[in-house]
Amino acid sequence: MAKKTAQKKLPGRLAAEIQMPPAEVRFTDELEALAAADQQERPDGWKLSPAAVVDFICGRDGEKIRVPGKRKPVEITRKFIGPRDVIQRCVVTLVGERGLLLVGEPGTAKSMLSELLAVAISGSGSLTIQGTAGTTEDQIRYGWNYAMLLDRGPCPEALVPSPILSGMRAGRIVRFEEVTRCLPEVQDSLISILSERRLMIPELTGEPGSVFAAPGFNLIATANLRDRGVSEMSAALKRRFNFETIAPIADARQEMDLVATAAAAALARPGRQPHIDEALVEHLVTIFRDLRSGRTPEGWQVHRPSTVMSTAEAVAVVTSIAREAAFFPSGFDPLSRLPGHLLGVVIKDDATDRRRLLAYWDGPVKRRAEEGTALWKRLWNQRDQLES
Ligand SMILES: Nc1ncnc2c1ncn2[C@@H]1O[C@H](COP(=O)(O)OP(=O)(O)OP(=O)(O)O)[C@@H](O)[C@H]1O
Ligand SMILES: [Mg+2]
């Protein structure tokens, strides 16, 4: 659905050239409508009021906004499936003087959320640092154009600002993806930026030697619980962030709807509506949830694999199977492809996970098949795919 909006909005050539349009492009209509209707106070440097930011992310339950001069009213779609009060807390944090740290298992939409928050508050989520084991302090603070530095010495023109420095100057939200993948001593260069809201550039003398954050600047970091843990973050840095845990989607029906919608959006092409098999989504999401939680809705215990069975992975599997169906339609049975794809998700770096998946097949899948459900019987009959 989201992709369709983007393609409608972008001029034909551009739409064809961009694989993944940024959120401010996909949701231009919604952002414009919210800004036009927004009667509430906006914090300094913000494009929308806190209430409008929450509406942008959580939707308005189908209520449409009429924009003067535009014929069609605009619906504010629900983009994040989860408790509204979590988003409200995130927004309130960003008005204050602490950064926001979104933590959680992989694939729970932390990055998506940080982009949506940055877009609603600052108009774009492009000021982003991707944390890796090789991230340096220069990438967080500033670097130099060495040719100019040698030629002219340290001068403002030779300075290469980091996204954080640019965000401080412009009063915008900056995103720091996977902050805990950086070395703790590199992470610590954020401490003074977050507490003093000022970045010293000792090489420059005079006024430009210190950059003060303009109103609107703040930091949204994300951290994945499966990578290097938040536990290694220094206590001093932890105190500069409000932590918000993003949990997997609680309701099975909502997760199924999201997986179907996200897969359809990923496959949408102008003038062509992708077909997403409902039974495939239902069975796949049920299997993912059983393996993720270690328990089925019937109350049966399941051995959880070491891999994360994330919603994002479920979207990827449904997208692949639907794509295969589109390219190789003759006699294609989507459900028969599920075990093979599942194996690819489950077996990442622990070979014993295959045994856990087989045990799941010999347990819940077999029992459901024996209870006479036709589609579970078909899945049970595909068991040998898991052994090869
Ligand atoms: N609660 C949710 N609401 C909406 N979409 C979701 C939700 N959970 C997962 N998704 C889907 O998962 C996709 C991937 O999310 P994203 O990459 O933001 O996850 P992440 O938490 O940053 O993962 P990682 O820790 O691996 O970086 C989203 O684009 C969306 O399609
Ligand atoms: Mg992420």
Side-chain angles (χ1 to χ4, degrees):
M1 190 103 65
K3 193 97 172 213
K4 258 167 59 192
T5 317
Q7 278 156 351
K8 193 178 65 196
K9 198 71 205 157
L10 286 168
R13 213 179 119 249
L14 198 55
E17 283 173 6
I18 293 184
Q19 266 201 4
M20 201 181 286
E24 63 269 30
V25 174
R26 300 202 307 274
F27 302 115
T28 319
D29 290 351
E30 293 190 27
L31 291 164
E32 279 173 8
L34 280 167
D38 199 359
Q39 303 286 330
Q40 300 195 34
E41 195 187 334
R42 301 174 194 190
D44 289 341
W46 284 39
K47 299 225 177 272
L48 294 174
S49 67
V53 174
V54 175
D55 280 354
F56 174 65
I57 293 171
C58 300
R60 279 195 169 192
D61 289 331
E63 184 202 329
K64 295 187 175 176
I65 300 181
R66 289 208 161 273
V67 185
K70 291 218 171 175
R71 269 199 305 129
K72 272 193 175 173
V74 179
E75 180 177 347
I76 309 301
T77 55
R78 184 176 187 184
K79 298 162 195 74
F80 173 70
I81 311 294
R84 199 179 177 94
D85 59 336
V86 168
I87 305 303
Q88 212 159 299
R89 276 201 302 271
C90 292
V91 172
V92 170
T93 292
L94 292 169
V95 187
E97 51 293 314
R98 280 175 160 221
L100 171 66
L101 182 59
L102 302 173
V103 289
E105 292 284 340
T108 47
K110 301 179 293 298
S111 301
M112 184 192 88
L113 207 47
S114 81
E115 185 190 16
L116 292 175
L117 285 164
V119 163
I121 295 169
S122 303
S124 157
S126 62
L127 291 177
T128 303
I129 298 174
Q130 178 64 52
T132 69
T135 302
T136 61
E137 239 184 82
D138 287 5
Q139 289 163 336
I140 293 178
R141 293 161 58 85
Y142 55 88
W144 296 98
N145 172 335
Y146 285 104
M148 205 182 277
L149 189 68
L150 288 174
D151 185 39
R152 296 170 51 184
C155 57
E157 296 74 33
L159 191 85
V160 179
S162 69
I164 292 188
L165 184 51
S166 301
M168 290 174 78
R169 280 177 174 156
R172 282 172 53 186
I173 298 287
V174 180
R175 301 165 55 203
F176 199 140
E177 285 286 306
E178 309 290 357
V179 66
T180 49
R181 295 197 64 209
C182 307
L183 295 170
E185 54 270 30
V186 174
Q187 293 174 26
D188 278 351
S189 50
L190 292 172
I191 295 176
S192 63
I193 294 171
L194 283 174
S195 50
E196 291 162 30
R197 305 280 158 157
R198 169 184 183 172
L199 204 151
M200 298 294 291
I201 308 172
E203 294 91 335
L204 295 181
T205 47
E207 201 215 325
S210 202
V211 174
F212 294 89
F217 165 75
N218 213 336
L219 197 67
I220 307 176
T222 65
N224 190 317
L225 291 174
R226 295 280 173 128
D227 283 332
R228 188 204 291 268
V230 180
S231 54
E232 285 184 40
M233 195 180 240
S234 70
L237 183 55
K238 278 186 197 160
R239 282 198 303 275
R240 267 75 183 178
F241 281 110
N242 278 355
F243 284 50
E244 203 54 68
T245 303
I246 308 298
I249 299 173
D251 180 76
R253 191 71 257 165
Q254 284 189 336
E255 188 170 2
M256 289 170 193
D257 290 347
L258 173 86
V259 168
T261 314
L267 295 169
R269 294 282 170 273
R272 251 191 289 155
Q273 192 57 35
H275 173 70
I276 304 295
D277 190 280
E278 229 175 86
L280 169 73
V281 172
E282 209 166 290
H283 285 75
L284 179 94
V285 171
T286 304
I287 294 170
F288 265 58
R289 294 177 69 88
D290 292 348
L291 293 171
R292 185 191 299 150
S293 63
R295 203 179 176 80
T296 70
E298 297 91 333
W300 304 325
Q301 293 288 337
V302 172
H303 284 295
R304 289 160 51 172
S306 59
T307 333
V308 186
M309 307 299 295
S310 73
T311 307
E313 288 268 21
V315 173
V317 172
V318 172
T319 308
S320 299
I321 296 178
R323 192 170 279 137
E324 203 180 337
F327 284 121
F328 305 98
S330 165
F332 190 82
D333 170 21
L335 213 60
S336 71
R337 314 304 289 165
L338 197 154
H341 280 273
L342 203 55
L343 209 54
V345 172
V346 170
I347 302 180
K348 291 264 171 15
D349 50 12
D350 183 355
T352 55
D353 282 338
R354 186 197 296 271
R355 267 193 268 137
R356 296 189 180 112
L357 190 55
L358 279 167
Y360 175 72
W361 235 252
D362 293 336
V365 174
K366 189 172 178 205
R367 286 171 84 166
R368 286 169 186 155
E370 283 169 353
E371 279 168 11
T373 325
L375 295 180
W376 285 104
K377 215 177 257 175
R378 260 166 62 199
L379 282 173
W380 164 245
N381 289 336
Q382 310 283 338
R383 185 186 184 280
D384 52 349
Q385 280 191 41
L386 301 176
E387 285 188 297
S388 52

